[in-house]
Amino acid sequence: MGIRERKERERERRRQQIIVAAKRVFSDKGFNKSTMEDIAKEAELSPGTLYLYFKNKDELYASLSLRILQYLIIRLEHVNGNNEMDPIQKVEALNEAMFDVYEFDPLIIINMFHLQSSETLKNLSDELLREIEDLSRKSLGVIAGIFQEGIDKGVFIDEHPIALADIFWSLFSGVILWESSKSIINGNKDYLRDTLKIAFEVFVRGLKKA
Amino acid sequence: MGIRERKERERERRRQQIIVAAKRVFSDKGFNKSTMEDIAKEAELSPGTLYLYFKNKDELYASLSLRILQYLIIRLEHVNGNNEMDPIQKVEALNEAMFDVYEFDPLIIINMFHLQSSETLKNLSDELLREIEDLSRKSLGVIAGIFQEGIDKGVFIDEHPIALADIFWSLFSGVILWESSKSIINGNKDYLRDTLKIAFEVFVRGLKKA
Amino acid sequence: MGIRERKERERERRRQQIIVAAKRVFSDKGFNKSTMEDIAKEAELSPGTLYLYFKNKDELYASLSLRILQYLIIRLEHVNGNNEMDPIQKVEALNEAMFDVYEFDPLIIINMFHLQSSETLKNLSDELLREIEDLSRKSLGVIAGIFQEGIDKGVFIDEHPIALADIFWSLFSGVILWESSKSIINGNKDYLRDTLKIAFEVFVRGLKKA
Amino acid sequence: MGIRERKERERERRRQQIIVAAKRVFSDKGFNKSTMEDIAKEAELSPGTLYLYFKNKDELYASLSLRILQYLIIRLEHVNGNNEMDPIQKVEALNEAMFDVYEFDPLIIINMFHLQSSETLKNLSDELLREIEDLSRKSLGVIAGIFQEGIDKGVFIDEHPIALADIFWSLFSGVILWESSKSIINGNKDYLRDTLKIAFEVFVRGLKKA
DNA sequence: AATGAATGAGACTTCATTCAT
DNA sequence: TATGAATGAAGTCTCATTCAT
């Protein structure tokens, strides 16, 4: 391993350390109430150091989303690649995978939507922006692939698989967001799991060919 | 019309003027990037004046949501009260109504979620908080009523109607949010309508009793 | 009574109404935390009206002090004019009079010192400034007269009576201010009366000719 | 000297730099009319920097008082510890010491009273509040000790020494405040010294046992 | 004379970002 | 590379004062 390569690896390690800290802080306080100093403290680094690895706060946030998106894709591909499941089982596995990812990092949903803000996008480097688009498209693509298979096998209704993937993702994130927002007023968190379950039962029933 | 009454009306007009300006600014820049001065400028008033009508920025934002929520409820009740439609037609009309409201004020969805922030809730007056809770509960209640009717008539599957209402609302807002967030990158807005349509077809199919 | 005279009298009545309200509000919250709107509300007038009677907030405050100073002078002159008391009895009566005035308006002491701020003085009209000087000098003069009498009669030590008047006034206000400031931390208010009593015993003993 | 120690010293130096600037500004304009920006400018720092060293404006003000209070105590203990003076000489030395402190920082008196405001106290950290109480109590305690000694030795009248200490302090601050407030109108500052001198002659005469 | 809605300057404070060490 | 003290722009909110009615 060359010296340059070692440096590169060291640099990547540091980046991850910061991202992990940022995740904890953002989870705790949300984007706007989290300060760069909070994150630096959590990472046991100084604020200045953060800027050696990330251009600005928005880019740090986006990188965080990127990382979890990568994790999501791995899980999705694993589901998709499993040839022993029929399409319906795959959708169920999809559901499981998404929930795991959500539990691993509940921020994922909110992250994805924070990225929507055009004010945020303005502060991102082109490179990062492209990467986000790629991963986003890719993960939707994998999901769409699963639906495509179902359609091809005559199990699912004949709709555009990309649209189905969007709906799947929307339903999942919608339920998460909605139940979370209600739970702050109601304090009822267990309800989320139940609602998700029913939501997917309905979704899958609606998906099946008559 | 008494002098007091006229004053009251004048005051209400001014409130609306501010709310309309705030809506435009919040739509444009999002909550955090919008400043009270932006809103004042948009309303052609001075910053101080805003505080004569709204206690603080959070309360101005919440009032904005309240207004659209009231409009939503009127639409929902109109659907529910129509005795000439069967449950399935009602769900379709529900869908239409929600979309109209969304077109009237695309912020409604994001508003509803912004209200979730406990930091936001802390700054609201008790009165406003109670009003929000009431309206929120009420609108969900109307939706649930429609599903209840479908279940009673043996048309829909036998699930808790409140859960079905939550899912309906989640699916709707999920699709809106998701397609909006994608459209910023893709610039493709027409797709939203189509996706919503498919989403509800699937949902309704899944809802029907076998 | 001419119409002009009646108007003048009406105007004066209004001024007093505002001063009374201001006293209550300033007593309650202190100068800086009291707003013109607070005072207007207490006087059951509108903020704008206050400015028809007083040039600005500082001048309103100063006028308030003036009024209590006038009351003080009446009390002092009454003591001084009583020919049945010997000098020592007069100093004791002085003490009583000051305490009565203090109880009637505890703000008097703080008022007198607030007037010291050159920033405050800058905002006062020349006329008011002169009036304050006059009354201030006059009240000190009456006190000094009492000490002069004691010196003339050979009862008090031979010091400049104006200086003695200043000391008397300083001791009184010093004890009031100091005990008030302590009482906020200690919550002990009864101590004030006792301390004042001892203070004057010591003062009078020190005043007497050997 | 370790690196940490040097940093600590540097930090303390900066704190003092700010306190010195604040003293000048507060002296000049009083608490309310002084802005944090004024102080920053005087200290040749940016406003933000002030907040690295002091939690808020009130705490900056209180720290300023604390500093001078510490200096006062040193002087008072020095007087008290001198075994070659009799009680009367000690009270005279007390007087001198207080005047020196006053000349070193004329704000001390006003500071002590500003601290009284419960609005101010609310904004102070518990630690600072406790420190102020301690020092305040301590300085009064030292003064009371001197009077106690005079009483024990049969030189002073038999009154509660704490009360005498309060009176001493009140008389001193009363004269200072009163003469300062007059001098703004009269422009006569030399008179202060004389008045203080007479005040303490009278006080000491009144203190002595017959 | 009286009103009170509106003003807008300005206060305090925060925090993303920079830069000398 | 890492630091962290310092910056200073910007945000929210208050309130003395004005002015059209």
Side-chain angles (χ1 to χ4, degrees):
Chain A
M1 180 165 64
I3 196 167
R4 214 189 112 163
E5 201 179 338
R6 183 154 60 239
K7 281 214 169 162
E8 191 49 47
R9 196 168 300 196
E10 182 58 31
R11 188 176 165 77
E12 187 51 31
R13 229 177 47 75
R14 215 12 98 82
R15 271 181 63 93
Q16 292 308 324
Q17 171 190 0
I18 294 170
I19 284 182
V20 167
K23 190 182 108 177
R24 268 202 289 270
V25 176
F26 283 136
S27 280
D28 207 39
K29 313 187 171 189
F31 181 76
N32 280 288
K33 305 261 172 186
S34 301
T35 71
M36 290 301 266
E37 197 174 337
D38 290 338
I39 296 167
K41 214 166 271 169
E42 180 74 27
E44 295 180 274
L45 290 170
S46 81
T49 305
L50 267 49
Y51 287 85
L52 297 176
Y53 294 89
F54 300 92
K55 211 183 79 193
N56 54 43
K57 194 182 172 189
D58 279 329
E59 190 140 339
L60 170 53
Y61 196 97
S63 302
L64 193 153
S65 309
L66 215 58
R67 186 159 165 272
I68 190 74
L69 214 49
Q70 284 162 338
Y71 175 55
L72 174 68
I73 285 181
I74 291 169
R75 292 292 310 257
L76 294 180
E77 283 179 335
H78 185 252
V79 169
N80 199 22
N82 186 330
N83 291 322
E84 294 178 358
M85 291 191 279
D86 65 35
I88 285 177
Q89 284 171 321
K90 277 194 179 179
V91 173
E92 269 153 18
L94 207 59
N95 196 11
E96 278 306 313
M98 297 266 302
F99 195 77
D100 285 354
V101 174
Y102 165 71
E103 283 200 315
F104 175 69
D105 180 5
L107 264 191
I108 183 174
I109 302 298
I110 290 164
N111 284 357
M112 298 311 300
F113 290 120
H114 177 83
L115 286 179
Q116 92 181 274
S117 157
S118 52
E119 296 293 326
T120 299
L121 294 174
K122 258 194 291 197
N123 286 327
L124 301 184
S125 62
D126 286 352
E127 189 199 356
L128 192 57
L129 203 56
R130 229 172 311 115
E131 209 168 343
I132 288 172
E133 275 186 70
D134 277 0
L135 282 182
S136 207
R137 202 186 338 268
K138 199 167 168 188
S139 58
L140 259 295
V142 177
I143 298 177
I146 291 172
F147 291 118
Q148 181 70 65
E149 188 187 330
I151 295 163
D152 290 347
K153 292 194 174 163
V155 183
F156 292 161
I157 54 172
D158 198 23
E159 288 287 357
H160 196 6
I162 293 276
L164 294 179
D166 280 334
I167 291 166
F168 176 84
W169 175 263
S170 300
L171 180 54
F172 183 83
S173 53
V175 171
I176 297 277
L177 282 175
W178 182 242
E179 294 305 328
S180 306
S181 87
K182 283 199 314 174
S183 72
I184 285 179
I185 297 180
N186 303 335
N188 180 356
K189 273 204 147 178
D190 301 334
Y191 190 57
L192 168 62
R193 205 71 233 233
D194 289 345
T195 307
L196 265 183
K197 190 165 161 287
I198 299 175
F200 281 100
E201 281 170 11
V202 171
F203 178 70
V204 170
R205 277 167 48 90
L207 214 56
K208 281 191 217 156
K209 208 149 196 171
Chain B
M1 180 165 65
I3 197 168
R4 215 189 112 168
E5 203 178 335
R6 183 156 58 242
K7 285 233 166 134
E8 192 49 48
R9 197 167 298 196
E10 182 59 32
R11 189 178 164 78
E12 187 52 31
R13 228 176 49 75
R14 198 35 75 87
R15 270 182 65 95
Q16 293 307 325
Q17 171 190 358
I18 295 171
I19 284 185
V20 166
K23 197 178 98 175
R24 267 201 291 271
V25 176
F26 284 137
S27 280
D28 206 40
K29 311 190 169 190
F31 180 78
N32 280 290
K33 307 253 177 181
S34 300
T35 73
M36 290 303 264
E37 197 173 338
D38 291 338
I39 296 167
K41 217 166 268 169
E42 179 74 28
E44 294 180 273
L45 289 170
S46 80
T49 305
L50 268 48
Y51 288 87
L52 296 177
Y53 295 87
F54 300 93
K55 216 183 73 196
N56 54 43
K57 195 183 169 188
D58 279 329
E59 192 139 339
L60 170 52
Y61 197 99
S63 300
L64 199 151
S65 311
L66 213 58
R67 187 158 160 271
I68 192 72
L69 211 51
Q70 284 162 336
Y71 176 55
L72 174 66
I73 285 182
I74 291 169
R75 292 292 310 260
L76 294 180
E77 284 179 335
H78 185 251
V79 169
N80 199 23
N82 187 331
N83 291 321
E84 294 178 357
M85 291 191 277
D86 65 34
I88 285 176
Q89 285 171 320
K90 277 194 179 179
V91 174
E92 269 152 17
L94 208 60
N95 196 11
E96 278 305 311
M98 298 258 311
F99 193 76
D100 285 353
V101 174
Y102 165 72
E103 282 200 313
F104 175 70
D105 181 4
L107 263 190
I108 183 174
I109 302 299
I110 291 167
N111 284 356
M112 298 309 301
F113 291 119
H114 176 83
L115 286 178
Q116 90 181 272
S117 157
S118 52
E119 295 295 326
T120 299
L121 295 174
K122 256 193 294 194
N123 285 327
L124 302 184
S125 61
D126 285 354
E127 191 197 336
L128 194 56
L129 202 57
R130 229 173 309 115
E131 210 168 343
I132 288 172
E133 275 185 67
D134 276 1
L135 284 182
S136 208
R137 200 187 339 269
K138 202 167 168 187
S139 58
L140 258 294
V142 177
I143 298 176
I146 292 173
F147 291 118
Q148 180 71 64
E149 188 187 330
I151 295 164
D152 290 345
K153 292 194 173 164
V155 184
F156 293 162
I157 55 172
D158 200 23
E159 287 287 357
H160 197 3
I162 295 275
L164 293 178
D166 282 333
I167 291 166
F168 174 85
W169 176 264
S170 300
L171 179 55
F172 183 83
S173 52
V175 171
I176 298 277
L177 281 174
W178 181 241
E179 294 305 327
S180 307
S181 87
K182 283 199 314 175
S183 72
I184 285 178
I185 297 179
N186 302 334
N188 178 358
K189 270 203 147 180
D190 301 334
Y191 188 58
L192 169 61
R193 200 78 228 230
D194 290 344
T195 308
L196 265 183
K197 191 166 160 287
I198 300 175
F200 282 99
E201 282 170 10
V202 171
F203 178 69
V204 171
R205 278 168 46 90
L207 213 56
K208 281 191 219 158
K209 209 149 194 169
Chain C
M1 181 163 65
I3 194 167
R4 214 189 112 165
E5 204 179 335
R6 182 155 62 240
K7 282 216 168 159
E8 190 51 45
R9 197 168 298 194
E10 181 59 32
R11 189 177 164 78
E12 186 52 30
R13 230 178 46 76
R14 215 11 98 83
R15 271 181 62 93
Q16 292 308 324
Q17 172 190 359
I18 295 171
I19 284 182
V20 166
K23 192 182 105 174
R24 269 202 288 271
V25 176
F26 284 137
S27 280
D28 207 40
K29 312 189 171 187
F31 181 77
N32 280 288
K33 305 261 172 183
S34 301
T35 71
M36 290 301 266
E37 196 174 338
D38 290 338
I39 297 167
K41 214 166 270 169
E42 180 75 28
E44 295 180 273
L45 289 169
S46 80
T49 306
L50 267 48
Y51 286 84
L52 297 176
Y53 294 88
F54 299 92
K55 214 183 77 193
N56 54 43
K57 194 184 173 189
D58 277 329
E59 191 141 337
L60 170 53
Y61 197 95
S63 302
L64 192 153
S65 309
L66 216 58
R67 187 160 165 272
I68 190 75
L69 214 50
Q70 284 163 336
Y71 175 56
L72 174 67
I73 285 181
I74 291 169
R75 292 292 311 259
L76 294 180
E77 284 180 335
H78 186 252
V79 169
N80 199 23
N82 186 332
N83 291 322
E84 296 178 358
M85 292 192 277
D86 66 32
I88 286 178
Q89 284 171 322
K90 277 193 178 177
V91 174
E92 270 153 15
L94 207 62
N95 196 12
E96 278 306 313
M98 296 266 304
F99 194 77
D100 285 354
V101 175
Y102 165 72
E103 283 200 313
F104 174 69
D105 181 4
L107 262 191
I108 183 173
I109 303 297
I110 289 163
N111 283 355
M112 298 310 300
F113 291 119
H114 177 83
L115 286 179
Q116 92 183 270
S117 156
S118 53
E119 296 292 327
T120 299
L121 295 174
K122 258 193 291 194
N123 286 328
L124 301 185
S125 62
D126 285 353
E127 191 198 356
L128 192 57
L129 202 57
R130 229 173 309 114
E131 211 169 344
I132 287 172
E133 275 185 67
D134 277 359
L135 282 182
S136 208
R137 202 185 338 267
K138 200 167 168 187
S139 59
L140 259 295
V142 177
I143 298 176
I146 293 173
F147 291 118
Q148 181 72 65
E149 189 187 330
I151 295 163
D152 290 346
K153 292 192 173 166
V155 183
F156 292 162
I157 55 170
D158 199 23
E159 287 287 359
H160 197 4
I162 294 278
L164 294 179
D166 279 336
I167 291 166
F168 175 86
W169 176 263
S170 300
L171 179 55
F172 183 84
S173 54
V175 171
I176 297 278
L177 283 175
W178 181 243
E179 294 306 326
S180 307
S181 88
K182 284 199 314 175
S183 73
I184 286 178
I185 297 181
N186 303 335
N188 178 358
K189 273 206 146 176
D190 301 333
Y191 190 57
L192 169 61
R193 223 33 256 233
D194 291 345
T195 308
L196 264 184
K197 192 165 159 288
I198 301 175
F200 282 100
E201 282 168 10
V202 171
F203 177 69
V204 171
R205 279 167 45 90
L207 213 55
K208 282 192 217 155
K209 209 152 195 170
Chain D
M1 180 164 66
I3 196 166
R4 212 188 117 168
E5 203 178 336
R6 183 155 60 239
K7 286 233 166 137
E8 192 48 49
R9 199 166 297 195
E10 181 60 32
R11 188 176 166 79
E12 187 52 31
R13 228 175 50 74
R14 203 28 81 89
R15 268 180 67 95
Q16 293 307 326
Q17 170 190 0
I18 294 171
I19 284 185
V20 167
K23 196 177 98 176
R24 267 201 290 273
V25 176
F26 284 137
S27 279
D28 206 40
K29 310 190 170 188
F31 180 78
N32 279 290
K33 307 253 177 181
S34 301
T35 72
M36 291 302 266
E37 198 173 339
D38 291 338
I39 296 168
K41 217 166 267 170
E42 179 74 29
E44 295 180 273
L45 289 169
S46 81
T49 306
L50 268 48
Y51 287 86
L52 296 177
Y53 294 88
F54 300 93
K55 214 183 74 194
N56 55 41
K57 194 182 170 190
D58 278 329
E59 192 138 338
L60 170 52
Y61 198 99
S63 301
L64 197 151
S65 311
L66 213 59
R67 187 160 161 271
I68 190 72
L69 211 50
Q70 283 162 337
Y71 175 54
L72 174 67
I73 285 183
I74 291 170
R75 293 294 308 259
L76 294 180
E77 284 179 335
H78 185 251
V79 169
N80 199 23
N82 186 332
N83 290 323
E84 294 177 358
M85 292 192 277
D86 65 33
I88 286 176
Q89 284 171 321
K90 277 194 177 176
V91 173
E92 270 152 15
L94 209 61
N95 195 12
E96 278 306 311
M98 298 260 307
F99 193 76
D100 285 354
V101 174
Y102 165 71
E103 282 199 314
F104 176 70
D105 181 3
L107 262 190
I108 183 174
I109 303 299
I110 291 166
N111 284 356
M112 298 308 302
F113 291 119
H114 177 82
L115 286 179
Q116 90 181 272
S117 155
S118 52
E119 294 296 326
T120 299
L121 295 174
K122 258 193 292 193
N123 284 328
L124 302 184
S125 62
D126 285 354
E127 190 196 338
L128 194 56
L129 203 58
R130 230 174 308 114
E131 209 168 344
I132 288 171
E133 275 186 67
D134 276 1
L135 284 183
S136 209
R137 202 188 336 269
K138 201 169 170 185
S139 57
L140 258 295
V142 177
I143 298 176
I146 291 172
F147 291 117
Q148 180 72 64
E149 189 187 329
I151 296 163
D152 289 346
K153 293 195 172 163
V155 183
F156 292 161
I157 54 170
D158 200 23
E159 286 287 358
H160 197 3
I162 294 275
L164 294 178
D166 281 334
I167 291 166
F168 175 86
W169 175 263
S170 299
L171 179 55
F172 182 84
S173 54
V175 172
I176 298 278
L177 282 174
W178 182 241
E179 294 304 327
S180 307
S181 87
K182 283 199 315 174
S183 73
I184 285 177
I185 297 182
N186 302 335
N188 178 358
K189 271 205 145 176
D190 301 333
Y191 188 58
L192 169 61
R193 197 84 227 229
D194 291 344
T195 308
L196 265 183
K197 191 165 160 289
I198 301 175
F200 282 101
E201 281 170 11
V202 171
F203 178 68
V204 171
R205 278 167 49 89
L207 214 55
K208 281 193 217 155
K209 209 150 196 172

